[in-house]
């Protein structure tokens, strides 16, 4: 129900835009998020966006990552500028919600992941 794409091999300093297409039933009501998993590390939250377009970013990516969504296309995007080798990893999109403490919680809807490799 979620399909991620857009990864690839990019030189440091370049930009990339990842896409995540979702089914309408999920996209219209869920908070959509991006996670990434670097080699040998745990999956970590990058950013999420509400159906109304309100965005939240992890501190480590603020200023270089931009999350957005096109509700007409049921598609979410993640634009990464000034790519760094440490951005290398598999990027996953997901659908979820906020818990009582306003933390983002995926609800079992995951894309298959798209690999981003940044060369120095």
């Amino acid at each position: 129900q979620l399909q991620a794409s857009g990864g690839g091999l990019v030189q440091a300093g370049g930009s990339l835009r990842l896409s995540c297409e979702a089914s309408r039933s999920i996209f219209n009501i869920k908070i959509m998020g991006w996670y990434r998993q670097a080699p040998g590390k745990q999956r970590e939250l990058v950013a999420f966006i509400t159906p109304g377009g309100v965005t939240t970013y992890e501190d480590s990516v603020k200023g270089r990552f931009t999350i957005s969504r096109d509700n007409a296309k049921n598609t979410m995007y993640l634009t990464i500028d000034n790519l760094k080798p440490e951005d290398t990893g598999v990027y996953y999109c997901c659908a979820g919600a906020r818990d009582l403490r306003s933390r983002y919680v995926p609800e079992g809807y995951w894309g298959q992941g798209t690999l981003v490799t940044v060369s120095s």
Side-chain angles (χ1 to χ4, degrees):
Q1 293 179 319
L2 277 70
Q3 183 76 26
S5 62
L9 174 63
V10 186
Q11 285 191 331
S15 296
L16 205 60
R17 189 177 79 162
L18 309 181
S19 300
C20 175
E21 185 174 0
S23 62
R24 181 171 296 180
S25 61
I26 291 174
F27 195 80
N28 284 348
I29 63 173
K30 296 296 184 183
I31 299 175
M32 302 297 295
W34 285 100
Y35 279 72
R36 68 179 175 184
Q37 187 167 18
K41 295 188 177 181
Q42 290 187 332
R43 194 175 299 188
E44 62 176 357
L45 177 65
V46 172
F48 57 91
I49 184 169
T50 70
V54 178
T55 59
T56 302
Y57 298 90
E58 290 299 297
D59 288 342
S60 60
V61 304
K62 285 180 179 178
R64 295 193 302 117
F65 286 41
T66 304
I67 189 172
S68 60
R69 61 192 292 160
D70 185 336
N71 290 339
K73 296 182 178 180
N74 300 324
T75 301
M76 172 181 64
Y77 304 98
L78 184 70
T79 302
I80 311 173
D81 295 316
N82 189 23
L83 279 155
K84 302 178 179 181
E86 52 264 41
D87 295 323
T88 294
V90 180
Y91 286 71
Y92 298 90
C93 59
C94 62
R98 277 181 155 167
D99 65 12
L100 295 177
R101 296 184 179 181
S102 292
R103 295 173 301 188
Y104 183 70
V105 180
E107 293 184 326
Y109 304 100
W110 289 92
Q112 81 284 9
T114 185
L115 176 63
V116 173
T117 303
V118 184
S119 62
S120 58

